[in-house]
Amino acid sequence: MMDISNQKISDFEFILTLEIAGNIVDERHDLSIGALTMIKNENTFIIDFNQSFTTYIEAKDVTVIECHAPQQHFETLEDGTRYNEDFPDCKFDLSAAEMPTADHVLWLDGELEAEIKRMTLNGKLNETYSFSSNVIEWIDYES
């Protein structure tokens, strides 16, 4: 396994893929994808998505939404902690090495009136290193 301990999370390209039952391409503009929280022990990191592509696959009767994340923006405070005003409770202290083995990858702030069949987060560092994590909704995490 490749040693990624010296990598930063911003070195990764993130793609969130949602598979949704049926053809919702026409309603796509009404959806809010939101953000993901990655948790490993007490460490957290939020990835906010702002660009997406939607495709309907007739043979499977699913709509696939592929979301891409820009580089994360936060400021470093005097005490060394990271802060983002949109996510004030997140410590942004999850390391790149902890990311592939995160205990939970949670979907938050999304509003979707559809049946989600699967959500997957893919992180790609380069041609030889990538990881994939299943994503669950907050409601499933809290119950």
Side-chain angles (χ1 to χ4, degrees):
M1 179 169 219
M2 182 177 171
D3 179 15
I4 61 168
S5 59
N6 293 328
Q7 302 297 318
K8 297 179 290 214
I9 289 182
S10 60
D11 295 335
F12 282 80
E13 173 187 0
F14 292 104
I15 300 173
L16 171 66
T17 305
L18 289 89
E19 287 187 20
I20 299 165
N23 184 353
I24 63 160
V25 172
D26 292 338
E27 295 100 49
R28 173 63 189 99
H29 64 280
D30 296 330
L31 305 179
S32 171
I33 298 304
L36 295 181
T37 297
M38 300 182 78
I39 301 172
K40 177 72 174 183
N41 300 322
E42 298 296 315
N43 297 340
T44 58
F45 201 94
I46 288 181
I47 303 170
D48 197 14
F49 294 90
N50 72 351
Q51 181 181 20
S52 63
F53 304 94
T54 306
T55 306
Y56 175 63
I57 302 172
E58 189 172 357
K60 293 182 175 181
D61 191 30
V62 296
T63 301
V64 176
I65 303 175
E66 185 177 282
C67 310
H68 296 258
Q71 187 168 356
Q72 195 71 39
H73 296 287
F74 48 77
E75 60 181 303
T76 303
L77 304 178
E78 285 183 21
D79 66 359
T81 59
R82 297 170 175 173
Y83 177 77
N84 178 305
E85 66 182 17
D86 294 328
F87 307 105
D89 296 331
C90 184
K91 297 176 287 181
F92 292 97
D93 58 353
L94 184 79
S95 70
E98 293 172 307
M99 240 182 356
T101 59
D103 299 323
H104 303 285
V105 182
L106 308 172
W107 186 44
L108 73 146
D109 291 337
E111 296 174 10
L112 194 55
E113 296 291 327
E115 178 192 344
I116 300 170
K117 291 183 165 273
R118 182 173 40 193
M119 289 187 284
T120 308
L121 175 67
N122 292 294
K124 181 178 177 183
L125 178 62
N126 53 39
E127 294 303 319
T128 60
Y129 187 85
S130 63
F131 71 92
S132 180
S133 298
N134 288 328
V135 179
I136 63 171
E137 294 185 65
W138 269 103
I139 194 164
D140 295 331
Y141 172 65
E142 292 173 338
S143 57

